[in-house]
Amino acid sequence: MRAVTFQAPGVVSVEERPEPELIEPEDAIVRIEATGVCGSDLHIYHGRVQIEPGFTIGHEYVGTVVAVGEAVTRVAVGDRVLGCFHTACGTCFFCRRGDYHRCVQSRTFGHGATLGSLQGTQADMALVPRANIVLRRVPEGMSSDVALFAGDVMGTGFHAVVESDFEPGDVVAVLGLGPVGLCAVQAARALGAAHVLAIDSVPERLDVAASFGAEAVHLAEQDVRAIARGATEGRGVDVCIDAVGDPKALDSAIRLTRACGSIQCVGVYAERADVHMGLLWLKTLTLRGGQANVIAHVDRVLALLAAGVLDPTALVTRHMKLEDAPEAYAVYDRREALKIVLTP
Ligand SMILES: [Zn+2]
Ligand SMILES: [Zn+2]
């Protein structure tokens, strides 16, 4: 079978690989129908996240189950499924609390030895461990473009909202309108935000946010703080979602959020950051962050996608063939697409 593999910073290639085989009783094998290229794949592409040359990348996927181990009960051969981007054991301390994203045995697809040596899904077929927890049947009639958002990007946008102190009627600001930020905009609207400020400096992304019902705010050309105050009788926003992962965004979030409000960092932080702790303390802000608990939310996200309440279709701006993956990565790196879906 064919697989998209990391070779060196800036180089991916499509290589022949042996087809995966069942190893554990909870394994399934999925023939891939569609697989997304994600911002975190770009970290690998650039060598910022280091993986072994030759490792298969990708972690967003929809396909058909072609084999299952004897302990797999929730999906069967022939089922059309989508999967979450990482696995969880279901039995450790964290899984028993529902904190699947902190599972001590978690493995992430397509991220090399440091995240569990689990080959990625940008391939003709993929091995899916812990299939009872990781896979879900695709609801009748749902396109693969929509379904593959449930196990990663929309799951993360949804998590950003529901795992903050958000309540219906709140005013929410979203900083950074990549696919996760745009999904957070949609989730906030769907869950009852009175008003959503969508903040970025890329006109096309602001347009998509506006089409999702948000007020688009240009980071450089408009006075973001004045707009946030204007929307909240001078208080500042109730919830601010940082979908950038940069200290400058976090600093803005601390300033935009009202006293006793909450900040949710879903953008990725890997370094020490200089934050105005005094302001955070004086304003009694709640600060949360970390990888999204996508497995915990996937059923509700799927239900909202199936009902059309959440609809990320507008985010898929390119479809390309699996064998054109090297070009797809170059296109994505030039920010010429919001989400590229590869089809084998
Ligand atoms: Zn992803
Ligand atoms: Zn676990």
Side-chain angles (χ1 to χ4, degrees), residues 12-24:
V12 299
S13 55
V14 181
E15 298 189 305
E16 273 304 310
R17 285 284 184 273
E19 291 190 356
E21 287 173 12
L22 298 172
I23 304 164
E24 301 290 337

Side-chain angles (χ1 to χ4, degrees), residues 26-94:
E26 287 178 74
D27 288 351
I29 292 169
V30 173
R31 183 182 304 283
I32 301 295
E33 170 189 324
T35 177
V37 179
C38 179
S40 44
D41 296 326
L42 273 191
H43 290 305
I44 295 171
Y45 182 68
H46 286 295
R48 289 189 292 263
V49 171
Q50 292 186 355
I51 70 170
E52 308 83 285
F55 204 88
T56 303
I57 47 186
H59 57 270
E60 301 174 359
Y61 55 103
V62 174
T64 302
V65 176
V66 293
V68 291
E70 61 199 21
V72 175
T73 53
R74 293 185 57 181
V75 296
V77 170
D79 284 349
R80 187 164 171 256
V81 293
L82 67 116
C84 298
F85 70 85
H86 71 93
T87 72
C89 74
T91 58
C92 73
F93 173 85
F94 294 102

Side-chain angles (χ1 to χ4, degrees), residues 71-253:
V72 175
T73 53
R74 293 185 57 181
V75 296
V77 170
D79 284 349
R80 187 164 171 256
V81 293
L82 67 116
C84 298
F85 70 85
H86 71 93
T87 72
C89 74
T91 58
C92 73
F93 173 85
F94 294 102
C95 283
R96 292 198 309 274
R97 293 166 50 94
D99 294 329
Y100 301 103
H101 53 331
R102 300 311 315 158
C103 172
V104 295
Q105 294 186 53
S106 176
R107 304 168 73 191
T108 300
F109 290 91
H111 277 71
T114 49
L115 290 179
S117 285
L118 183 55
Q119 298 292 331
T121 63
Q122 289 169 9
D124 285 311
M125 295 168 77
L127 174 70
V128 180
R130 312 285 188 187
N132 291 322
I133 284 181
V134 174
L135 294 178
R136 295 291 186 280
R137 285 192 196 90
V138 177
E140 195 75 35
M142 185 181 287
S143 73
S144 52
D145 282 2
V146 168
L148 65 75
F149 276 82
D152 184 4
V153 177
M154 186 59 86
T156 301
F158 183 86
H159 169 104
V161 178
V162 298
E163 302 286 347
S164 71
D165 291 331
F166 172 83
E167 292 189 30
D170 279 352
V171 176
V172 177
V174 178
L175 288 162
L177 302 177
V180 166
L182 287 167
C183 284
V185 165
Q186 219 179 49
R189 291 281 297 160
L191 294 162
H195 196 62
V196 179
L197 302 176
I199 304 159
D200 202 298
S201 53
V202 179
E204 298 78 30
R205 295 178 172 201
L206 291 167
D207 289 346
V208 176
S211 79
F212 289 170
E215 178 181 353
V217 181
H218 195 291
L219 187 58
E221 293 172 3
Q222 290 176 274
D223 185 343
V224 179
R225 285 173 72 185
I227 290 167
R229 284 196 297 264
T232 55
E233 298 171 324
R235 288 187 298 270
V237 301
D238 301 294
V239 175
C240 189
I241 294 168
D242 164 10
V244 181
D246 182 275
K248 269 186 265 164
L250 182 52
D251 191 68
S252 300

